[in-house]
Amino acid sequence: MKIKLLKKLFFTLTILFGVFSQAQTVTGKVNSADMPLPGASIIVKGTTNGTSTDFDGNFTIDNVSSTAILVVSYLGYITQEIVVGDQSVINVTLIEDENSLEEVVVVGYGTKKKSLVTGAISSIDSKQIKSSSNQRVEQVLQGRTSGVTVTSSSGSPGQGAQIRIRGGGSSGSSEPLYIVDGMKSSSIATLAPSDIASMEVLKDAASAAIYGTEGANGVVIIRTKGGSNGEIKVGFSTQLGTQFVNTDMELMNASQFVQYMNEAGISSVVDNGYDTDWIDSTFDKAPLTRYDLNISGGNEKTSFYGSMGHLEQEGIIGQENSSYKRKTFRFNFKSELTKFLEVGVNATYSFSDRFGIQENSDTRGVIQNMLIIDPLTPVLYDSLDDVPQSVLDNATANNVPLLTDKNGNVYGYPSYSTGEVVNPVAFANVMNKTITNDVQSLYSAYLKLKIIEGLSITTRFGKETGRIDVKNMINPYYVSSEASNTAYTGSHTKYENKRWLWENFITYDKSFKNHNFKLLAGYSAEDRDNVTLKATSGSVSIDEFTGFDFNLPGFNTNVSNPLPYLDNMVSTFGRLSYDYDGKYLFEASIRADKSDKFPEANRTAVFPAFSGGWLASREDFWSDDSPISYFKLRASWGQNGSRSNLTGNADKTYIIEALNGLGIDYLGNTGAQITGYSNQNLVWETSEQLNFGIDLRALSNKLRFTTEYYKKTTRDAVVDDGSLITPGSAGFNSQAFNAGTIVNQGFEFELGYSDTTEGGFTYDINANLSTLKNEVTEILYVGEGGYLTGAGAPQNAEGITRFSQGLPAWYFYGYETTGIDSNTGEILFADTNNDGNITDADKTMIGSPHPDLLFGGNISLGYKAFDFNLQFQGTIGNDIIATYHQPSRAITNKPIHFFEDRWQQPGDNASMPGAANVANSYDTDLVVEDGSYMRIKQIQLGFTLPQSFSDKLKLDNFRVYVSLDDFFTFTKYTGLDPEIGNFSFNAIGVDRGFYPTAAKAIFGLALDF
């Protein structure tokens, strides 16, 4: 009996030992194609044994038998089932569900499931970026998200774009903060779009508050691509294209110009046989080429991604003389050295060469000259015999060569236009050349220590460096006394900027029952230095000139006298995120920044934020049969700061011996002066924002809708130019000051619908619409009814833009008109102050650069191997003011409507004055036009080789496409391009002769193997 019992006991123990010997602990990581998935569910099928991934997508699950099946799921992704077998490490890449309800978005110092987001965040995913044929990162954002405006500073290759998130919230720069792989970046212009995995735009204060001092204008977070577990992958893509101007603008032709000038009383202008269309003659077709190569790979512990990119883009004016070349290199690396330690490196390096023409000038710009030079001037004379004797005499008298092309043909000199006016083709090709060499690098390395489950510490150090070398070279010429240069003149400036950033933060995720907490606390320190390494200028006579060697004595006329601009900052920050059962959501954050750009007493500022949300569709009362499957209400309030408009030293006064690079001379003696009056009362510019939002999904998640209401109030807006408030009797200017308060408010809407038919046809339609009201509600230092003067223009000595209380920031300033006198053809001015006289006191707001509505959208279609993408964007309600006209020069050309709509004789009911009175229109609303437009940013048709054919070629993917970019524009604006930004914050919508955005026809190819 005892023997039988022992046998049974031994048999039972053997079975139990065998069972437990097969049980094991399984670890791993759950990723999407681009990022780790925190909160993913891992369950042993048929049991309650399970866990979820931590903040970095890692998981550990115990007591798993070799025959078990792991069910891995994540909201918005296709569930996978994996047989364990003898695997102790299982890494899973989930595929996004095309009709996904959720995705993970990148937020400050982490990621978050979108269902738990309580702030206003818009995302651009890898699919949208991949379908874009843009050459610049900023352009990828155009029209894709509500509340975001992207306008080109210039259409010239290599020039950047201005991004505005919910309007211009500052009296100075309103650029958002850029975060690239966790590192602050001064610019994203050097990034290759093909390297980007995703972009997030943090629009409200609650989302951006974790970045404190630099989040006032919103935050753009960019995450670049990384490697994945598996064999090495190689990708290659290329673009070949042609660019050209596509505009409806017309200028007067020769016969119209002669008639117009004669009507103005200038009988000396006669038809001389020339009839030059200067728009056609100045613009030309220009090639574009781009190549991108990347390689990636990794295993369960380590991954890497490397890329090289090359872009060459010539300009549609001057071709190589306004061209841009950019080379980019990137390397991303990540490795889990142990179960508890992860390290990573993100590095990018770029160098670019940009050849620029004179632009953005209403007196000395190539395009400005193109718009006003008379059509009776030829581009080139047919022979030397046709060159006017006066041109030859001036060249001889001033000992300068004639302006000639590379074949020796003489460029046409103005037949009738006087003053600064020159031949724009000669201006672009031979008169002036600017070369900018730019070398930029951005490196960051991090170490993440995983203490216990849910608890990790990260330290990250990053460094940004840049060297900019600018050479400007002006050849000798003589067109007129106002447009001449009798020597070889030039300047050479070298700048260097450096920034290091060290961030340390700890995160802790904890859940019990239905309560979920995420805690973040951190400390950061950074330092920025901007130094002018070299600044020389001067001239060398024609006889002594041997080349533009800026080390020659003739060019070394500048004196270096750098000031010690300090730009250091230390910060502490924290955030609490809480949700109950994914249904009731709350988040609070706070950041304290201390910057030495401010006076000692005001260096530290604290920026708090709160947000909450209710996912009503998760309530028990919400019917499973409801057509609305997802419904969330959310609200947020927060504050952000800004120091981006400060160069520093506002609280200091220095004694200097050089001014504008030249030594100060006082009656032949070396002089000195102070830099200006310090401002000890300067405080932080602070943006406070209130936001309410609704998110819903309906019709089996095919329909997506989001709406927001926001009110952004920027207080103590900083202006770095103290001369705007300094009386002339002061002797020296004040330093930076706080200008006042600006309010931006409006609504945002995003709507999308996607589906796949039974026949396999897929479609995805998205549209967005935003309203915007911009108003200055308070202005400081200038007294009752005071103002700040903005952009200058020849026709208005008091500035063409202004900053005044009760009106939009930097509105257009001039005379309002009530019509044209039908008897005389003179302009009728509005007596706005009702004093019976027309004086400067009657000048008022005549337009606003801020749109009332912004809209955009895209349509994506697919059927079998073919795909089609259309993207559009535009604005409604913004104005554009033309300042390229010259009131002091009577003989200048003009747009065709000045001729067609002019008054000619008594009794005419005209909208434009008679030719004799046209100069009086240049500072009135007659040169202000509606800048509303819609532009088709992209029409793209692609073909992807079927997989069966790709397999035979041993390719993972092969796609070709053709694309028409910026090809169609619908607008009433009569200028070259309604999509006008500008280089200056106070000159948005000011058309000085804007270099237009080129239309492009592109052929592209992309393959992966």
Side-chain angles (χ1 to χ4, degrees):
M1 187 70 173
K2 291 181 179 179
I3 294 175
K4 288 183 179 180
L5 288 173
L6 288 172
K7 286 182 177 179
K8 289 181 179 180
L9 180 60
F10 179 78
F11 181 73
T12 303
L13 291 172
T14 301
I15 293 175
L16 289 173
F17 179 79
V19 170
F20 283 108
S21 66
Q22 295 177 20
Q24 57 185 315
T25 297
V26 175
T27 62
K29 189 168 188 174
V30 179
N31 292 289
S32 69
D34 301 314
M35 62 167 52
L37 296 179
S41 173
I42 302 94
I43 297 177
V44 177
K45 190 172 183 177
T47 73
T48 58
N49 182 19
T51 187
S52 59
T53 56
D54 64 13
F55 184 78
D56 299 303
N58 300 307
F59 71 90
T60 300
I61 185 169
D62 300 319
N63 299 324
V64 183
S65 71
S66 59
T67 58
I69 297 174
L70 295 185
V71 179
V72 185
S73 61
Y74 190 80
L75 196 59
Y77 290 79
I78 299 173
T79 299
Q80 286 193 34
E81 295 187 358
I82 301 169
V83 178
V84 173
D86 59 356
Q87 302 177 87
S88 61
V89 177
I90 297 178
N91 292 319
V92 184
T93 299
L94 293 182
I95 300 173
E96 186 177 0
D97 189 341
E98 291 297 328
N99 294 320
S100 65
L101 174 65
E102 293 299 330
E103 68 259 23
V104 171
V105 296
V106 180
V107 296
Y109 302 98
T111 59
K112 180 179 284 191
K113 291 168 64 174
K114 196 167 186 179
S115 63
L116 303 179
V117 169
T118 50
I121 300 177
S122 293
S123 300
I124 310 294
D125 60 28
S126 57
K127 186 185 299 183
Q128 292 172 299
I129 297 170
K130 188 175 183 179
S131 67
S132 171
S133 53
N134 298 120
Q135 290 76 45
R136 295 180 64 93
V137 174
E138 307 100 307
Q139 296 167 336
V140 176
L141 286 170
Q142 282 188 307
R144 295 187 184 273
T145 181
S146 62
V148 179
T149 308
V150 182
T151 54
S152 299
S153 297
S154 162
S156 176
Q159 290 287 10
Q162 293 177 328
I163 297 176
R164 296 288 179 268
I165 298 175
R166 293 183 167 177
S170 177
S171 56
S173 172
S174 293
E175 285 293 299
L177 171 66
Y178 301 111
I179 303 293
V180 180
D181 294 324
M183 176 65 186
K184 293 178 183 178
S185 178
S186 301
S187 171
I188 56 176
T190 56
L191 290 177
S194 58
D195 286 337
I196 296 175
S198 69
M199 301 173 70
E200 264 75 34
V201 182
L202 312 187
K203 297 187 288 188
D204 68 329
S207 302
I210 198 66
Y211 291 110
T213 178
E214 292 172 299
N217 296 313
V219 181
V220 177
I221 300 179
I222 297 175
R223 187 172 48 83
T224 59
K225 294 178 179 178
S228 58
N229 188 7
E231 61 185 18
I232 292 178
K233 300 289 186 181
V234 178
F236 173 77
S237 61
T238 184
Q239 290 181 350
L240 302 174
T242 183
Q243 309 164 93
F244 47 92
V245 68
N246 195 5
T247 181
D248 293 328
M249 186 178 190
E250 289 185 65
L251 300 171
M252 296 183 200
N253 62 28
S255 63
Q256 293 166 336
F257 181 78
V258 170
Q259 182 178 346
Y260 195 87
M261 290 296 107
N262 291 167
E263 289 179 12
I266 307 173
S267 58
S268 59
V269 175
V270 296
D271 193 338
N272 61 2
Y274 293 113
D275 187 3
T276 302
D277 185 329
W278 281 109
I279 293 179
D280 284 349
S281 300
T282 305
F283 290 103
D284 204 345
K285 292 182 179 180
L288 179 153
T289 57
R290 175 178 157 192
Y291 306 96
D292 293 292
L293 177 68
N294 67 75
I295 182 170
S296 63
N299 54 36
E300 59 190 28
K301 295 291 185 181
T302 302
S303 62
F304 71 91
Y305 173 89
S307 71
M308 296 183 294
H310 178 75
L311 170 67
E312 288 191 26
Q313 184 177 5
E314 291 192 359
I316 54 175
I317 300 177
Q319 294 186 318
E320 67 273 9
N321 290 322
S322 65
S323 62
Y324 180 63
K325 296 180 181 180
R326 182 189 69 200
K327 290 182 172 63
T328 58
F329 301 89
R330 169 164 291 279
F331 180 72
N332 294 344
F333 172 83
K334 183 173 68 174
S335 179
E336 294 183 23
L337 299 180
T338 70
K339 183 179 179 180
F340 307 102
L341 181 62
E342 178 183 312
V343 297
V345 174
N346 297 285
T348 183
Y349 178 83
S350 71
F351 55 93
S352 61
D353 299 314
R354 183 169 63 84
F355 292 75
I357 62 171
Q358 289 287 98
E359 55 179 312
N360 195 44
S361 172
D362 35 35
T363 56
R364 301 284 184 177
V366 171
I367 300 174
Q368 184 263 345
N369 277 265
M370 176 195 77
L371 296 173
I372 67 173
I373 189 172
D374 65 78
L376 303 169
T377 298
V379 177
L380 292 164
Y381 295 113
D382 292 334
S383 68
L384 190 61
D385 294 335
D386 294 320
V387 180
Q389 188 60 44
S390 60
V391 172
L392 299 173
D393 292 343
N394 283 330
T396 301
N398 292 279
N399 190 32
V400 296
L402 294 172
L403 293 170
T404 59
D405 67 5
K406 59 185 178 181
N407 297 317
N409 300 308
V410 180
Y411 282 108
Y413 285 62
S415 297
Y416 292 104
S417 296
T418 59
E420 301 87 356
V421 182
V422 298
N423 184 325
V425 181
F427 200 171
N429 290 332
V430 298
M431 286 173 52
N432 192 315
K433 181 179 294 186
T434 300
I435 304 174
T436 303
N437 305 116
D438 191 355
V439 179
Q440 299 286 335
S441 62
L442 184 68
Y443 308 94
S444 64
Y446 73 90
L447 183 150
K448 181 182 294 184
L449 185 63
K450 303 165 189 177
I451 310 299
I452 58 174
E453 183 179 356
L455 178 65
S456 66
I457 298 176
T458 301
T459 181
R460 178 169 56 213
F461 181 81
K463 188 173 183 179
E464 180 185 45
T465 62
R467 281 195 171 224
I468 303 175
D469 187 308
V470 183
K471 296 178 181 177
N472 180 253
M473 294 161 284
I474 306 174
N475 291 320
Y477 62 91
Y478 190 96
V479 177
S480 67
S481 59
E482 297 91 348
S484 62
N485 185 51
T486 57
Y488 286 91
T489 307
S491 63
H492 185 197
T493 309
K494 288 185 178 181
Y495 307 94
E496 182 179 69
N497 60 76
K498 296 180 181 179
R499 186 213 308 246
W500 61 257
L501 171 66
W502 184 35
E503 295 183 308
N504 304 274
F505 52 94
I506 182 171
T507 59
Y508 182 59
D509 297 357
K510 182 65 177 177
S511 299
F512 59 92
K513 294 185 178 180
N514 290 322
H515 300 276
N516 305 294
F517 295 88
K518 289 186 178 182
L519 294 170
L520 167 73
Y523 167 86
S524 72
E526 66 176 287
D527 175 80
R528 296 183 66 178
D529 295 296
N530 297 287
V531 180
T532 300
L533 301 175
K534 180 179 183 179
T536 65
S537 66
S539 62
V540 175
S541 67
I542 296 174
D543 295 336
E544 297 177 349
F545 182 75
T546 57
F548 279 100
D549 182 353
F550 288 95
N551 293 316
L552 293 174
F555 290 113
N556 288 314
T557 58
N558 283 28
V559 178
S560 178
N561 190 23
L563 296 177
Y565 285 100
L566 302 176
D567 190 0
N568 305 297
M569 189 170 73
V570 294
S571 310
T572 55
F573 52 90
R575 181 174 61 209
L576 166 66
S577 301
Y578 167 79
D579 73 86
Y580 177 78
D581 195 26
K583 186 163 43 178
Y584 308 113
L585 317 172
F586 174 77
E587 186 168 275
S589 66
I590 191 168
R591 179 165 178 138
D593 292 313
K594 183 177 181 180
S595 169
D596 57 14
K597 278 191 172 184
F598 294 88
E600 183 68 35
N602 302 327
R603 286 187 176 174
T604 301
V606 178
F607 306 102
F610 305 93
S611 61
W614 177 38
L615 196 54
S617 54
R618 294 200 61 169
E619 296 286 1
D620 294 338
F621 62 75
W622 200 273
S623 171
D624 293 337
D625 297 328
S626 172
I628 299 177
S629 56
Y630 179 90
F631 186 86
K632 180 169 69 174
L633 299 173
R634 49 187 168 79
S636 68
W637 172 91
Q639 291 183 335
N640 306 109
S642 176
R643 62 190 179 115
S644 60
N645 291 321
L646 285 173
T647 56
N649 290 339
D651 60 328
K652 298 176 178 64
T653 297
Y654 292 100
I655 298 175
I656 58 175
E657 296 178 353
L659 190 64
N660 298 323
L662 298 176
I664 298 173
D665 180 83
Y666 181 73
L667 300 178
N669 300 308
T670 300
Q673 71 175 53
I674 65 173
T675 54
Y677 301 114
S678 65
N679 181 4
Q680 297 297 323
N681 297 316
L682 186 70
V683 298
W684 287 79
E685 178 176 302
T686 302
S687 173
E688 179 179 297
Q689 194 168 169
L690 183 66
N691 192 91
F692 299 97
I694 298 174
D695 303 317
L696 68 83
R697 307 288 185 270
L699 306 179
S700 301
N701 298 327
K702 297 174 184 176
L703 178 69
R704 308 171 298 276
F705 177 73
T706 295
T707 184
E708 315 262 0
Y709 167 76
Y710 69 92
K711 183 176 182 180
K712 182 169 72 170
T713 304
T714 303
R715 295 185 174 87
D716 299 312
V718 171
V719 172
D720 202 42
D721 184 2
S723 67
L724 296 176
I725 59 170
T726 306
S729 59
F732 298 98
N733 291 329
S734 299
Q735 302 283 23
F737 64 99
N738 299 106
T741 301
I742 304 170
V743 174
N744 287 283
Q745 58 184 318
F747 292 89
E748 297 173 355
F749 305 92
E750 295 185 4
L751 179 67
Y753 189 88
S754 58
D755 196 11
T756 301
T757 67
E758 292 182 0
F761 175 72
T762 63
Y763 58 93
D764 187 3
I765 303 171
N766 296 277
N768 62 77
L769 175 71
S770 309
T771 68
L772 174 65
K773 181 182 179 182
N774 175 281
E775 182 182 358
V776 177
T777 59
E778 179 188 30
I779 185 168
L780 306 175
Y781 293 105
V782 296
E784 185 71 23
Y787 58 87
L788 300 180
T789 301
Q795 57 264 56
N796 197 334
E798 298 176 300
I800 204 69
T801 65
R802 279 195 174 182
F803 186 88
S804 304
Q805 184 172 332
L807 296 170
W810 306 116
Y811 62 88
F812 303 142
Y813 178 73
Y815 288 109
E816 186 179 303
T817 64
T818 59
I820 305 299
D821 190 314
S822 62
N823 293 318
T824 64
E826 296 178 346
I827 300 169
L828 299 175
F829 297 94
D831 182 11
T832 58
N833 63 357
N834 298 313
D835 66 352
N837 298 305
I838 301 299
T839 65
D840 284 349
D842 290 301
K843 290 182 179 180
T844 184
M845 187 181 91
I846 56 175
S848 170
H850 308 288
D852 299 319
L853 293 175
L854 306 94
F855 63 90
N858 60 278
I859 300 172
S860 299
L861 310 175
Y863 183 71
K864 295 185 178 180
F866 293 93
D867 61 85
F868 174 83
N869 291 281
L870 183 147
Q871 183 190 351
F872 63 91
Q873 65 109 26
T875 63
I876 297 175
N878 57 298
D879 297 311
I880 297 173
I881 185 167
T883 65
Y884 52 79
H885 302 286
Q886 281 293 317
S888 62
R889 309 301 178 193
I891 310 177
T892 56
N893 205 0
K894 295 162 186 64
I896 189 66
H897 69 272
F898 277 75
F899 179 84
E900 294 177 341
D901 301 332
R902 76 193 187 284
W903 178 94
Q904 299 180 66
Q905 59 190 2
D908 281 354
N909 184 18
S911 59
M912 297 301 291
N917 299 295
V918 68
N920 293 327
S921 67
Y922 297 154
D923 61 346
T924 74
D925 54 14
L926 293 177
V927 293
V928 176
E929 294 187 52
D930 182 4
S932 305
Y933 72 96
M934 184 181 80
R935 172 162 284 170
I936 307 298
K937 299 298 295 181
Q938 180 186 81
I939 301 177
Q940 186 182 110
L941 178 64
F943 175 80
T944 301
L945 196 67
Q947 196 61 47
S948 58
F949 290 97
S950 295
D951 291 341
K952 294 179 181 178
L953 298 173
K954 297 183 178 180
L955 296 175
D956 294 332
N957 177 69
F958 182 91
R959 179 176 180 263
V960 293
Y961 63 89
V962 290
S963 185
L964 298 178
D965 293 2
D966 299 307
F967 202 85
F968 299 104
T969 304
F970 305 94
T971 183
K972 293 182 179 179
Y973 180 58
T974 61
L976 288 170
D977 187 354
E979 194 179 332
I980 290 180
N982 217 302
F983 295 90
S984 303
F985 63 89
N986 59 7
I988 303 299
V990 176
D991 188 351
R992 304 183 190 277
F994 185 75
Y995 195 126
T997 300
K1000 306 174 188 70
I1002 295 173
F1003 168 79
L1005 176 151
L1007 57 89
D1008 301 293
F1009 53 91

